[in-house]
Amino acid sequence: MLNGCLALGPRQMQHDQLAYSRALGETQKREMLLNIVRLRYADPPTFLDTTQVIAGYSYSRSVSGGYYGYPASAVSNYLFGQGSLSMAENPTITYQPLTGQQYAENIIRPISPTVIMPLSLGGMPIDTLLRLTAQSIDGLSNVRGIGAGPFGGGSVRFYLLLHDLRQLQSAGVMTVRITTEEPSSNSSGGSSRANNKKSSTDGDNNSNIEHAYLVLTPTSDSSLQAIQGEVRRLLHLDSTAQEAEIVYGPYPKKIGQIAILTRSMLAMLTQLSYEMEVPEADIRAGRTPPTIGQVGIENRPEVQIHSGPSAPNHNYAAVDYKGRWYWIDDSDFQSKEAFTMVQVLSALAATSHGAGAVVTIPAG
């Protein structure tokens, strides 16, 4: 009966796959939050990659029984039996720190605009996306932090541009086009670009290189037309341009291009750390610089990180750092959405993965 009723593998898989997935997700959130806090206090970030999760199970069972019969004058007849079942779980989890070339590629190297911009097609707010990832757009600066002074920095027009792009995205009259075709002089944006057989980032002659375009969809709505006109002016595009190629760099090299100087994961996390809440005593003691202020129409950080002697029970993510708690409130949807974007970008930036340890699993 035990052999027939016990189905260890399928039943455990239904439970354990989800359990390990939840545990890994929560751990990655806490690691990301802890690295933001560490950067604020000039501690180097540490990234530990979970390379393998192997769950091994074993079980044994035994059943025995019998029947004793006595004559009528003896002790009454009786049955006896016994059984045993033992189960054991032996999970093997391997971790590998990011170091060397892997660290440089995943953490230090700026993320390509052709990787970032398609995320807006999946519904991610383009203003949040660019505020996190762009150091500048066509010379409009998003630089804030220690180098920008205690009151922050950056260009007000940068945030006006993001506000306009978000309105166009919400109305469905702005999108991003990704193609492997080389830019031509007969583009719909009316630019004078010549055929470009090389990538704007690495110069390799490769027909599989992706090119990203910002597309302004024609509309009959006069208010949306005015916003599209403002976007063209801020990006120095022709007044009739319907699309423009997005390239990496501080300034466009050709007419009709939009240059985005993107950030690395390290720069992105550092910027978030400058905006987080820290104890005033730490600022006065010189353990960390003052929190930067907001610019223009921005009135709050993208990811609002609170601090205190203890974290609330209902939090999205919380970590302890040197006896003080830092957390993201579970009721703050904007912060949770932006923080999720950071994690997605971190996964996209991970172009290099370690092979992981070789694990021998006994069979039988």
Side-chain angles (χ1 to χ4, degrees):
M1 287 189 296
L2 287 173
N3 288 340
C5 297
L6 186 63
L8 184 63
R11 184 175 299 175
Q12 287 298 120
M13 180 178 178
Q14 292 176 21
H15 172 269
D16 288 356
Q17 183 170 353
L18 292 178
Y20 280 115
S21 177
R22 290 191 188 101
L24 183 60
E26 290 298 318
T27 301
Q28 289 174 340
K29 284 197 302 185
R30 295 182 63 193
E31 181 188 57
M32 188 70 71
L33 180 57
L34 179 59
N35 279 325
I36 293 173
V37 177
R38 288 170 63 86
L39 284 166
R40 179 60 182 268
Y41 286 88
D43 274 348
T46 302
F47 297 89
L48 200 62
D49 191 14
T50 304
T51 57
Q52 297 176 93
V53 179
I54 303 172
Y57 308 93
S58 63
Y59 70 96
S60 61
R61 68 275 187 200
S62 64
V63 179
S64 62
Y67 171 77
Y68 281 103
Y70 294 88
S73 59
V75 181
S76 60
N77 301 341
Y78 67 92
L79 290 170
F80 77 93
Q82 64 179 6
S84 65
L85 174 66
S86 64
M87 302 178 61
E89 179 182 1
N90 303 291
T92 301
I93 303 173
T94 60
Y95 305 97
Q96 181 170 317
L98 295 182
T99 57
Q101 183 66 23
Q102 189 180 0
Y103 189 93
E105 291 183 6
N106 297 1
I107 308 301
I108 306 299
R109 175 187 291 179
I111 307 174
S112 170
T114 57
V115 173
I116 293 171
M117 295 306 293
L119 294 178
S120 65
L121 299 176
M124 288 189 174
I126 193 168
D127 54 340
T128 301
L129 183 64
L130 290 175
R131 188 176 170 189
L132 289 170
T133 60
Q135 194 81 343
S136 68
I137 301 177
D138 263 23
L140 303 178
S141 176
N142 186 29
V143 177
R144 294 180 296 150
I146 295 177
F151 300 105
S155 169
V156 173
R157 291 188 298 165
F158 177 89
Y159 304 102
L160 291 174
L161 172 63
L162 299 194
H163 178 72
D164 290 344
L165 290 175
R166 177 55 179 162
Q167 287 185 290
L168 296 178
Q169 182 190 34
S170 299
V173 293
M174 185 225 72
T175 188
V176 174
R177 182 170 69 90
I178 304 296
T179 181
T180 55
E181 296 178 0
E182 294 294 331
S184 65
S185 58
N186 296 324
S187 65
S188 58
S191 70
S192 60
R193 291 172 298 180
N195 289 334
N196 182 9
K197 297 302 182 182
K198 295 187 179 181
S199 166
S200 60
T201 55
D202 58 12
D204 292 333
N205 186 3
N206 190 337
S207 60
N208 292 324
I209 293 175
E210 290 187 336
H211 300 270
Y213 294 85
L214 180 73
V215 181
L216 299 177
T217 308
T219 176
S220 59
D221 190 312
S222 59
S223 61
L224 294 176
Q225 288 176 352
I227 296 174
Q228 287 182 339
E230 180 67 19
V231 168
R232 293 186 182 99
R233 286 190 293 272
L234 290 170
L235 295 175
H236 307 101
L237 299 177
D238 187 88
S239 60
T240 60
Q242 293 184 5
E243 71 172 34
E245 184 186 7
I246 300 170
V247 297
Y248 174 82
Y251 295 99
K253 295 181 180 180
K254 299 178 181 179
I255 298 174
Q257 290 182 335
I258 302 171
I260 302 180
L261 186 63
T262 53
R263 291 170 172 162
S264 64
M265 281 305 304
L266 182 62
M268 203 182 310
L269 298 181
T270 301
Q271 184 64 58
L272 292 176
S273 73
Y274 290 147
E275 301 177 352
M276 62 178 283
E277 179 184 303
V278 294
E280 286 295 328
D282 288 353
I283 297 175
R284 291 193 299 269
R287 286 190 286 270
T288 184
T291 301
I292 65 172
Q294 303 306 306
V295 177
I297 59 176
E298 301 298 329
N299 55 16
R300 51 159 290 165
E302 270 320 298
V303 180
Q304 199 155 26
I305 302 173
H306 306 274
S307 68
S310 62
N313 293 330
H314 300 288
N315 60 74
Y316 176 69
V319 293
D320 173 63
Y321 178 77
K322 294 186 177 181
R324 192 170 183 88
W325 282 88
Y326 299 85
W327 69 89
I328 299 171
D329 201 308
D330 193 43
S331 61
D332 186 355
F333 180 81
Q334 181 176 333
S335 292
K336 294 193 297 182
E337 184 179 46
F339 194 79
T340 298
M341 270 193 206
V342 174
Q343 291 189 283
V344 171
L345 290 164
S346 177
L348 291 175
T351 56
S352 175
H353 293 276
V358 177
V359 179
T360 301
I361 304 175

